[in-house]
């Protein structure tokens, strides 16, 4: 957080040498810093500002005052000496407390006790120091016992003071005090300090004094004012402690902020049955329901509630135990919620029937509660709909999209290993090591997790069948990760500790062995992998509050949200999730269909143009069928269909597999028994070698930068013609059914305007033929996928031939950074992230300085050529909130992401619009 | 060429309706168009302007006039009608010619004959029409015969007129006239037209008239003015002919330029022994020597010299035959050379002892002549040294750097095939199919051409031994091409028609088979491959004129010229060629040394840090030795040493080879006869499989974008430390010898400023240790290789951690365009170049819109951070003239290229400086 700017406000107060403010002087403090609440927090710290604020609201807060952060800085600047005037002000403030409470600091039968608490602007849990019960000494203790009759309570308070003061102020390690307590418990035969009797506590106090005499440079001060002064100085010193310094470095907190010190009148919830202490939320933090939720204990101290020594009571019971207090508390909770315009998490104490609020802050909540509370607060008029939308994070919404493991069940589960959490959600199933088995088991009604070294296009049927996916290698954008996210399958990839033995049909992690068929549980949200079956819980996206929130998000967002979908089922899902268009329909997935693959291979390995044409023609009706379904599913919305993109050898058997087959056949030949067998094997070998030869000729050193995309299309124009025809014929067919069809054609891997022009000419010439055949025309925009750096650099020229741009940020990232996604995450990219050479995985969130800069350049120059150019993004980044915010800043028209990510994208787009 | 701008000048003349200028009105023509010579050429065409110019110089040119291009355009605009006034002007001009020559057009005993020649602004050889001997008819012919007594000459002139007029003006196909001539030759029993007697020619003329009567729409016009008018119209028409149109499209000549028409008095070199015709150069076009060079024939026509019917005489003989004419011609040649400030190519005719110049133009010349002429013209003060430098092209200079095939020998050679001409020069040798054999044969004293499917780092020893290299696959930046250029070995790669059969140790091209040991000749300049031994000629770079020219170039250039060199021998060669520094010393080539490779492999496959350290330490003294040699060789000049760049698996055996070995071992196991053999084979198989496993783990899908460069260095910091130490220790050692050492360290594949910072920190920390050990320091700049698009996009940040930038344009091109150089040239890139989707091979000349833009951005932003940042280029483009010009425009400090390319780079850098 950037705190420097706020520091500018502090000198106002510092110049006035106003070292402290009582809680009821909050208005003056605010006026002194110019009125901004943030400046008040800079001056008084978070806790001090909050206590003052509650006081102002009329909430009963124990009287007290706050010594400013400016005083802390003056203390530090002055070499550890309280600045002139401060102590006088403290004495005056103590007199004010005495007059307000009617108690006397260091005297009388009802002595004033105070706590001295640190409180910096930003919370630094556990880093800073606190001393309670200041004001007690041997003399005061006896008079107080005499007055209250509660010897044990007073003695316990005293021993706590000595212990905390000894630790915080005098620097005696706490273990010495704990040692005394342990010895006393053992001697008394009890197990907790609360069981120690008054006599025991007297012994403890004596021993504590002895510890201090032996270990500290000075004895425990009996003068309450000396106690107070030393405590204040100790808190100031604690700001400069090593652990606080380290914490600030880690949390990016400015070292110059300083801490405030709050001196607060002690109140006690353990002074009898008319006393109590507790914590409560103004709404249910789990469900978000608008009712008080919390726990309390009668006759107890705050720490007892946390320690769990006695079973706590639900806050609803308070109405029975203390009806007046309960009503007052409910009213205060409402007041605080209205004031802070959010659900509050409050600490309270009841001292002899009187309610005191010790703290309030915005409460932590589950994702479900966050959504419901935001929507209901807006419904109550406490916050605007815009604020409601801003209050729910993308991560919180994402929770609704995937089943999760039950929290309690996880706590007792056996963790096997951890990999990359590439696709969120919980999956449970029996391990299956190949896609065919996975599919068969699922058909038999079993629940399966597909476990693979890595996945390939051939594995997709198994991935679709499985409940989840686990791979031993591969990165955040490996095939497994991409497909898993695409289909919303929970997945953990790159779990490199896993060693798969396909011969044994098992995998091992260290000494643990998991056999095929054994149950495993995979958490794609966290990346953890467990053995056995863990119970899951399934939140629902059709939750009324989620639906409302997303409707509001749609009102505020200016970016369109489309989906990447390759078939009608996905397209329908995307639409159900709120997508208004398909930003990327990949046609290659259609080619991997087992029925079609042989035709595709025939096309690739064709020796003559006639052979190739025959194969291409055979694909036409199949492709047309694909597009018919897509266009029907997306009636009225645009469907961007990308022409075939991947290198052709992806459709052929792998070179390594073929080599192995050839080697095996040779061995079998050696063992052949008769001539017929020899001949049959020879035939087989010849065929394998011929395919091996063809595959070898198509092998590329860097396929990513090879013959693919538009390069392939211009080399095999029949392919572009066939795909154009399939799209157009499908469009006319569906249009004839009365459906509003809006197909668009996208050309992949464009790097030169001339390429785009050539592809466009091909598409348009085929379109002209079809229009002629149909006796009708159709407006089909033709656009360029911007995924090669050169395309971004020459976007102004490319825009002359393109109706729209779509950023393919996956490949653009690979080429701009010179990083192969298939290899990098398994090797140096993880090191780079660990060593902060790269701060954010560029395949998760757009690399601003490189890829983002190219996107900006392309957007600006593309629109300079054609102000009506539609620009979108269809890379994986289209579902990433930070990337969506970037797209908003760049003025893109829409984002496109996987169907499952659409709700998150809608919300993120609203966030981006509202933040801009 | 851009002609539109010049056209703006023409309206001046057009407005004045001045349709023609006589040759001696050249000053008026020039004044009318505003004085610029280029505008004169626009108006009068190249030939007309030239004839006028010679006339103005006092050179004897046959009188004549030029009808302007404006008239041609008016003719075209008017639908093929001569514009008003033109014909009157022509008649007036003809009267002027009559008065000047004392002859009469269409009459008298000495009739005026004229030629009507087209002449556009830019030469369109053979595209436009000419009619000679206009003015003859049956009547004039007879009177002329009577007057001259030379019946045969007059009749021959007449039949030529009819034939040309018939063809050009009347549109009768020339074959009809040729048919008549052939029949007559057969009847007369002679073989050439020159042997036809007067009587034969009279028959021919009668037959020609008959041909025209039968085939043309009108008879041959007897009125000389009708002849002239029709000829002028025909020339104008010819501008619009299809073939002229097509030529202009191909040559990028504007269709609106129009052609001028030159009407020139005919002069005849065939009117007796006091007549002659010839062509001559003002200097020797082969050697450049300053002496007239040319040929002539006594009593002949111009075309006879070209036709080679009689043996021509050398121009030196003219002094004997016609001393006066010879002296006059020599003087005119000098005048024209001084006027045009360049060697002239002249056509002349002597008619009855009187010399006429018909044409002069800058002469074509060999590369040697170009250099000598340029230097000598500057020496004579005719041109400046700057102009001399500008007049020699990079290609001409390149000629001096490589032996070439003898031109005559090539004419009779048998061409086998053609591939990519990747490294110029001629190589002759016996084909050797593997590097070991190549090396052995060379050691045995044989001359070898290494023939491979493609080359790999393992092949380098064979490539170095061979005279030249031929590969069947690979592109312009394949390994073979890079190494060949690096070492100046002539090479043709990607000769895809070649099919190598390693079993037969032969290759075939179509039906031709070449066995290992057969002689072949490879022309790396043209890409042609021949069978057999072709004689070569070896030009010399130490030619005094080349040396002078390059010295002048060095004076004018502002770019530094460094070399890419990996060892001391190369470094010394680079220095001899004029390099003042090493821009790129690749350390990986040092790793491929057969002695070192096992250590390198040990380092790569090390299982523990200790093992790795041991291997790295073993490499240290070897690397230090490399650097000692480099630094000694380049005393006083900077030597940029690049840290290890390639992916480590390049140092390991190939996966495919290992797989094959494993398969073979399995088969041998099956056949094993006894247990000992089984065990030995099993051991071997285990080892192969273990290596296979390690290689497999290091395999990358796209190694180009993988774990290499700085990524590797940060992963194996010992490597960076070792290389830093080797460089520094070498530097101190050589410095102790009294040598001025200037090592610099370059970090490859940087894409993030943080990477550069991390690498720099590592290098500097090791340097600090060494400085401490040595008790001395050394200034060693540390720079970044800019070869990833992101590095260019974030150059401003990277410059904070780099002392210099060096553009690695090979990889920058690959990533910016998304093109893998190993694959692309063999596939789509050639198609793209053929189809003009890409105009220039981006691996030869920098792609301006993409890569060039990134370079500009990086230069500007790098220098914005650090104005003293040194910026250079070390990609292959560093030796390309167009790319060097770009580097000049970008304000780079130096270029670096292979040693053999240094002279060309020096000249190109001078060109770039002088052009800017």
């Amino acid at each position: 957080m950037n705190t420097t700017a706020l520091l500018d406000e502090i000198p106002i107060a510092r110049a006035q040498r106003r070292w402290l403010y009582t809680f009821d002087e909050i208005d003056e403090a605010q006026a002194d810093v110019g009125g901004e609440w943030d400046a008040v927090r800079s001056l008084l710290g978070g806790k001090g500002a909050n206590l003052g604020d509650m006081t102002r609201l009329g909430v009963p807060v124990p009287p007290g005052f706050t010594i400013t952060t400016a005083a802390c800085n003056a203390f530090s600047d002055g070499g550890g000496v309280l600045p002139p005037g401060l102590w006088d002000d403290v004495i005056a403030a103590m007199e004010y407390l005495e007059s307000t409470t009617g108690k006397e600091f260091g005297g009388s039968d009802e002595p004033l006790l105070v706590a001295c608490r640190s409180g910096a602007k930003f919370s630094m849990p556990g880093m800073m120091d606190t001393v309670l019960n200041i004001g007690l000494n041997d003399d005061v203790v006896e008079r107080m016992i005499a007055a209250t009759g509660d010897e044990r309570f007073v003695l316990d308070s005293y021993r706590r003071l000595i212990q905390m003061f000894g630790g915080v102020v005098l620097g005696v390690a706490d273990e010495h005090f704990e040692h005394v307590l342990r010895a006393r418990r053992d001697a008394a035969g009890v197990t907790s300090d609360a069981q120690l009797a008054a006599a025991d506590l007297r012994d403890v106090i004596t021993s504590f004094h002895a510890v201090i005499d032996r270990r500290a440079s000075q004895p425990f001060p009996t003068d309450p004012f000396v106690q107070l002064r030393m405590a204040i100085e100790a808190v100031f010193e604690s700001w400069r402690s090593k652990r606080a310094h380290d914490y600030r470095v880690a949390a990016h907190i400015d070292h110059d902020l300083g801490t405030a010190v709050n001196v607060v009148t002690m109140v006690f919830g353990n002074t009898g049955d008319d006393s109590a202490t507790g914590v409560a939320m103004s709404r249910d933090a789990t469900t978000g329901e608008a009712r008080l939720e919390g726990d309390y204990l009668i006759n107890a101290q705050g720490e007892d509630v946390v320690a769990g020594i006695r079973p706590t009571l639900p806050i609803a019971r308070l109405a029975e135990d203390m009806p007046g207090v309960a009503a007052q508390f409910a009213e205060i909770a409402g007041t605080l919620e209205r004031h802070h315009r959010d659900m509050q998490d409050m600490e309270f104490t009841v001292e002899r029937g009187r309610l005191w609020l010790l703290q309030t802050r915005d409460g932590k909540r589950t994702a479900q509660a966050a959504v419901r509370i935001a929507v209901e607060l807006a419904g109550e008029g406490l916050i605007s709909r815009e604020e409601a939308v801003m209050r729910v994070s993308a991560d919180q919404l994402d929770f609704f999209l995937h089943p999760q493991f039950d929290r309690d069940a996880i706590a007792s589960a056996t963790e096997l290993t951890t990999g990359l959490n590439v696709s969120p959600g919980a999956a449970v199933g029996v391990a299956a090591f190949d896609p065919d088995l996975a599919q068969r088991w699922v058909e038999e009604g079993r629940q399966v997790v597909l476990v693979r070294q890595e996945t390939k296009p051939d594995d997709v049927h198994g991935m679709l069948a499985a409940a989840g996916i686990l791979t031993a290698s591969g990165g955040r954008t490996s095939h497994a990760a991409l497909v898993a996210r695409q289909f919303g399958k929970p997945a953990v990839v790159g779990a490199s500790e896993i060693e798969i033995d396909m011969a044994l049909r098992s995998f091992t992690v260290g000494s643990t062995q998991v056999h095929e068929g054994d149950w495993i549980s995979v958490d794609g949200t966290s990346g953890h992998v467990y053995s056995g079956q863990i119970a899951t819980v399934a939140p629902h996206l059709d939750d009324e509050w989620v639906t409302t929130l997303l409707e509001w998000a749609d009102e505020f967002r200016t970016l369109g949200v489309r989906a990447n979908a390759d078939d009608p089922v996905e397209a329908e899902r995307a639409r159900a999730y709120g997508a208004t268009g398909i930003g990327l329909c990949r046609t290659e997935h259609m080619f991997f269909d087992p029925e079609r693959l042989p035709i595709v291979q025939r096309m690739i390995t064709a020796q003559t143009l006639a052979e190739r044409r025959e194969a291409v023609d055979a694909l036409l009706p199949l492709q047309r069928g694909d597009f018919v379904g897509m266009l029907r599913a997306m009636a009225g919305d645009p469907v961007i269909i990308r022409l075939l993109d991947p290198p052709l050898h992806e459709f052929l058997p792998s070179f390594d597999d073929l080599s192995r087959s050839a080697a095996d056949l040779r061995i079998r030949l050696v063992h052949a028994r008769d001539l017929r067998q020899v001949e049959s094997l020879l035939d087989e070998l010849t065929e394998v070698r011929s395919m091996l030869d063809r595959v070898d000729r198509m092998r590329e050193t860097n396929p990513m930068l090879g013959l693919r995309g538009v390069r392939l299309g211009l080399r095999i124009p029949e392919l572009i013609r066939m795909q154009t025809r399939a799209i157009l014929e499908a469009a006319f067919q569906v249009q004839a059914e009365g459906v509003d069809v809006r197909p668009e054609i996208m050309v992949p891997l464009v790097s030169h305007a001339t390429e785009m022009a050539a592809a466009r000419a091909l598409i348009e010439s085929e379109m002209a033929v079809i229009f002629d055949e149909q006796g009708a025309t159709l407006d089909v925009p033709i656009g360029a996928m911007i995924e090669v750096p050169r395309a971004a650099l020459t976007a102004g020229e490319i825009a002359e031939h393109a109706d729209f741009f779509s950023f393919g940020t996956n490949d653009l990232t690979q080429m701009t950074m010179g990083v192969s996604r298939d290899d990098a995450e398994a090797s140096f990219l993880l090191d780079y992230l660990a060593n902060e050479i790269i701060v954010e995985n560029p395949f998760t969130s757009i690399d601003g300085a490189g890829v983002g800069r190219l996107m900006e350049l392309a957007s600006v120059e593309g629109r300079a050529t054609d102000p009506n150019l539609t620009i979108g993004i269809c890379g994986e980044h289209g579902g990433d909130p930070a990337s969506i915010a970037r797209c908003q800043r760049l003025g893109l028209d829409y984002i496109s992401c996987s169907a499952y990510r659409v709700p998150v994208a809608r919300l993120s787009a609203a966030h981006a619009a509202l933040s801009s």
Side-chain angles (χ1 to χ4, degrees), chain A:
Chain A
M1 46 202 101
N2 181 354
T3 54
T4 331
L6 312 173
L7 276 174
D8 294 345
E9 310 268 346
I10 293 184
I12 300 169
R14 189 180 278 174
Q16 295 176 324
R17 284 289 179 269
R18 176 83 190 254
W19 294 125
L20 62 80
Y21 295 86
T22 60
F23 294 162
D24 45 16
E25 288 174 332
I26 186 71
D27 287 333
E28 287 139 271
Q30 192 159 3
D32 285 351
V33 294
E36 286 297 318
W37 186 245
D38 197 80
V40 178
R41 295 184 66 232
S42 295
L43 182 69
L44 302 181
K47 185 189 292 285
N50 195 250
L51 289 167
D53 193 42
M54 281 200 285
T55 304
R56 174 160 61 183
L57 284 172
V59 171
V61 170
F65 57 89
T66 305
I67 305 171
T68 68
T69 55
C72 175
N73 288 330
F75 175 85
S76 299
D77 295 347
V81 177
L82 291 185
L86 170 56
W87 186 243
D88 293 340
D89 291 351
V90 170
I91 290 171
M94 290 304 291
E95 283 168 6
Y96 162 80
L97 287 192
E98 286 176 333
S99 76
T100 302
T101 59
K103 299 178 180 177
E104 192 189 339
F105 190 51
S108 93
D109 294 343
E110 198 168 4
L112 173 64
L113 303 186
V114 296
C116 184
R117 295 174 188 270
S118 66
K121 177 168 184 183
F122 301 108
S123 173
M124 294 168 63
M127 283 302 122
M128 308 280 295
D129 292 319
T130 293
V131 182
L132 301 178
N133 302 339
I134 291 169
L136 289 176
N137 56 28
D138 291 351
D139 180 38
V140 171
V141 161
E142 295 312 329
R143 289 171 63 187
M144 203 173 158
I145 291 171
T148 62
D150 192 345
E151 184 184 12
R152 206 204 155 280
F153 159 62
V154 176
L155 290 172
D156 189 51
S157 300
Y158 189 32
R159 76 89 189 161
R160 284 177 200 259
L161 167 64
I162 302 168
Q163 184 171 1
M164 288 170 116
F165 195 94
V168 172
V169 184
L170 299 176
V172 177
D174 197 52
E175 63 188 37
H176 303 298
F177 298 111
E178 286 300 327
H179 181 78
V180 169
L181 284 168
R182 198 182 321 121
R184 179 50 49 192
R185 285 197 302 268
D186 291 349
V190 300
T191 54
S192 85
D193 296 340
Q195 296 167 288
L196 291 176
D200 295 321
L201 289 171
R202 286 196 184 272
D203 281 353
V204 165
I205 288 165
T206 308
S207 301
F208 275 12
H209 279 301
V211 165
I212 288 177
D213 290 342
R214 192 159 62 247
R215 309 232 167 237
S217 57
Q218 62 178 105
F220 176 76
T222 53
D223 181 341
F225 279 98
V226 173
Q227 290 172 7
L228 180 59
R229 180 174 182 137
M230 288 177 75
I232 291 168
E233 288 171 345
V235 171
F236 283 164
E237 291 286 358
S238 73
W239 176 258
R240 299 194 294 179
S241 70
K242 186 174 178 318
R243 61 175 188 169
H245 183 95
D246 292 348
Y247 182 94
R248 288 196 298 270
V249 168
H252 303 289
I253 297 175
D254 199 306
H255 298 304
D256 294 337
L257 284 176
T259 183
V261 177
N262 298 290
V263 178
V264 194
T265 306
M266 291 294 301
V267 291
F268 299 95
N270 55 347
T271 52
D273 284 348
D274 56 353
S275 296
T277 189
V279 295
M281 305 276 191
S282 60
R283 300 189 183 225
D284 188 312
T286 306
T287 65
E289 194 184 341
R291 59 174 185 84
L292 275 179
E293 185 215 8
D295 310 276
Y296 70 99
L297 279 173
I298 298 286
N299 194 14
Q301 280 190 296
E303 57 200 64
D304 298 336
V305 178
V306 180
I309 293 166
R310 282 187 280 154
T312 58
L313 302 170
I315 197 77
R317 260 287 297 271
L318 195 64
E320 294 171 32
D321 288 342
M322 302 178 176
V325 165
Q328 187 191 1
F329 183 73
E331 196 190 318
I332 289 170
T335 302
L336 287 172
E337 204 183 72
R338 280 190 300 278
H339 179 64
H340 289 283
R341 306 164 61 249
D342 202 358
M343 182 256 260
Q344 294 298 296
D345 176 354
M346 299 156 289
E347 290 177 23
F348 66 93
T349 286
V350 182
E351 188 185 60
R352 296 197 194 104
R354 187 164 178 192
L355 175 67
W356 299 100
L357 268 287
L358 304 181
Q359 177 156 309
T360 190
R361 56 188 167 190
D362 294 348
K364 298 210 184 306
R365 65 205 78 178
T366 64
Q368 290 107 309
V371 173
R372 178 167 175 178
I373 290 170
V375 170
E376 292 193 342
L377 284 179
E380 294 162 22
L382 267 184
I383 60 174
S384 67
R385 289 179 170 190
E386 286 87 341
E387 283 175 295
V389 167
M390 290 303 285
R391 285 213 184 158
V392 177
S393 73
D395 283 349
Q396 285 172 324
L397 184 64
D398 191 43
F399 180 85
F400 285 85
L401 300 168
H402 313 280
Q404 308 292 337
F405 285 122
D406 184 82
R407 284 183 199 183
D408 300 332
I410 278 220
S412 57
T414 307
E415 184 174 330
L416 278 173
T417 186
T418 301
L420 292 168
N421 53 337
V422 294
S423 184
V428 180
V430 294
F433 289 15
D434 72 66
D436 296 334
L437 183 67
Q439 192 175 28
R440 206 180 71 224
W441 277 358
V442 169
E443 282 163 7
E444 291 168 5
R446 298 175 75 171
Q447 210 170 313
V448 167
V449 170
L450 179 65
V451 181
R452 296 289 270 170
Q453 183 64 38
E454 59 188 338
T455 64
K456 293 187 198 151
D458 290 348
D459 298 347
V460 171
H461 60 291
M463 299 171 78
L464 288 180
I469 296 146
L470 169 62
T471 72
S473 47
R476 207 162 280 285
T477 47
S478 60
H479 177 264
L482 289 173
V483 173
R485 277 200 290 279
Q486 178 75 10
F487 295 100
K489 295 279 176 193
V492 172
V493 305
S496 52
E497 287 179 337
I498 287 182
E499 304 237 351
I500 300 177
D501 187 330
M502 285 304 283
L504 294 177
R505 306 293 293 191
S506 72
F507 72 79
T508 51
V509 182
S511 59
T512 310
Q513 196 169 14
V514 176
H515 295 280
E516 195 158 45
D518 288 353
W519 283 91
I520 59 173
S521 299
V522 170
D523 190 342
T525 309
S526 67
H528 296 302
V529 180
Y530 305 90
S531 59
Q533 249 178 304
I534 302 180
T536 59
V537 289
H540 295 292
L541 186 64
D542 49 9
D543 178 309
E544 61 176 300
W545 297 283
V546 171
T547 306
T548 303
L549 189 82
L550 287 175
E551 281 169 10
W552 293 350
D554 289 344
E555 280 173 34
F556 304 133
R557 69 180 161 87
T558 55
L559 277 168
V561 175
R562 301 185 189 177
N564 300 346
D566 301 345
D567 63 55
V569 176
E570 257 187 291
E572 272 158 22
R573 182 183 299 126
R575 180 164 256 202
Y577 279 168
T580 52
I582 299 301
L584 174 63
C585 170
R586 281 165 288 220
T587 52
E588 52 269 23
H589 289 187
M590 302 168 176
F591 279 48
F592 283 118
D593 185 293
E595 267 182 56
R596 302 179 187 181
L597 202 52
I599 314 179
V600 174
Q601 292 181 346
R602 233 156 60 216
M603 175 185 80
I604 296 170
T605 59
Q607 306 282 351
T608 67
L609 198 58
E611 273 182 74
R612 168 163 291 160
R613 289 229 170 98
E614 177 273 324
V616 167
D617 289 347
L619 287 170
L620 173 64
L622 303 171
Q623 279 256 295
R624 190 172 49 219
D626 297 325
F627 299 140
V628 162
M630 288 298 289
L631 292 169
R632 270 196 204 123
M634 296 307 293
D637 283 329
V639 175
I640 296 183
I641 297 163
R642 180 176 73 181
L643 299 177
L644 195 70
D645 182 45
L648 290 182
H649 58 68
E650 282 200 10
F651 299 101
L652 299 178
S654 95
F655 182 84
D656 289 355
D657 287 349
L658 286 169
S659 298
R660 261 190 295 274
S661 298
D664 287 344
L665 283 168
R666 281 169 64 209
I667 292 184
R668 283 167 63 198
L669 255 176
V670 169
H671 289 277
R673 290 279 168 257
D674 59 54
L675 196 64
R676 242 176 67 198
Q677 207 185 346
V678 166
E679 274 176 2
S680 140
L681 284 168
L682 265 181
D683 283 352
E684 214 178 318
L685 184 59
T686 307
E687 198 171 315
V688 168
R689 280 192 168 158
S690 150
M691 181 59 93
L692 191 62
D693 198 45
R694 273 174 276 174
V695 170
D696 190 29
R697 260 184 282 129
M698 301 191 90
R699 277 213 287 182
E700 293 181 312
T701 318
N702 298 291
M704 159 79 210
L705 309 176
L707 179 59
R708 42 176 289 243
V710 65
R711 300 162 186 178
L712 189 64
L714 292 180
R715 193 160 235 225
I716 310 184
E718 300 80 25
L719 206 54
I720 291 189
R721 289 192 181 280
M722 182 278 280
Q723 293 203 298
T724 302
R725 179 167 284 273
I727 293 164
L728 269 286
E729 288 183 352
F732 279 113
Q733 178 181 333
V734 177
Q735 197 180 42
E737 299 165 5
V739 176
D740 175 15
V741 292
R742 296 175 56 193
E744 308 191 5
I745 297 178
M746 179 152 72
V747 181
L749 211 76
V750 171
S751 62
H752 288 70
T754 43
E755 269 176 321
M756 185 63 205
R760 187 180 188 106
L762 251 175
I763 294 165
E764 286 182 340
S765 80
E766 187 68 17
M767 274 171 38
V769 173
I770 300 163
F771 290 163
D772 218 43
E773 291 167 5
Q774 300 277 344
T777 65
L778 199 65
D779 181 34
V780 180
I782 302 169
M785 187 144 168
I786 305 294
E787 53 186 333
V788 177
R790 193 183 191 281
L793 290 163
T794 59
E797 294 169 35
I798 293 173
E800 288 172 21
H801 311 283
D803 302 316
F804 61 88
F805 280 177
S806 178
F807 287 110
T809 45
N810 295 353
D811 280 7
L812 191 58
T813 300
Q814 296 195 79
M815 295 185 209
T816 303
M817 306 187 77
V819 169
S820 165
R821 68 186 186 193
D822 291 330
D823 308 315
E825 286 183 326
S827 66
F828 68 92
L829 200 56
L830 289 182
D831 291 353
Y832 270 25
L833 287 165
N835 300 329
E836 294 189 12
I837 285 178
I838 295 181
V839 178
E840 183 85 54
N841 186 332
F843 294 112
T844 302
S845 203
I846 290 170
D847 158 53
V851 176
R853 185 171 186 187
L854 283 178
M855 288 172 70
E856 183 175 1
L857 204 145
S859 303
V860 170
E861 297 181 10
R863 290 240 172 88
T865 297
D866 176 5
N868 295 320
L869 191 73
T870 302
I871 309 183
I873 177 177
C874 62
E876 284 281 303
H877 302 92
D880 167 61
S883 305
I884 291 171
R886 179 175 300 279
C887 292
Q888 174 87 28
R889 290 196 298 276
L890 293 180
L892 263 52
D893 295 296
Y894 70 87
I895 50 182
S896 187
C897 57
S898 74
Y900 284 97
R901 199 73 193 160
V902 163
V904 170
R906 287 162 68 194
L907 180 64
S908 296
H911 288 171
L914 291 171
S915 304
S916 74

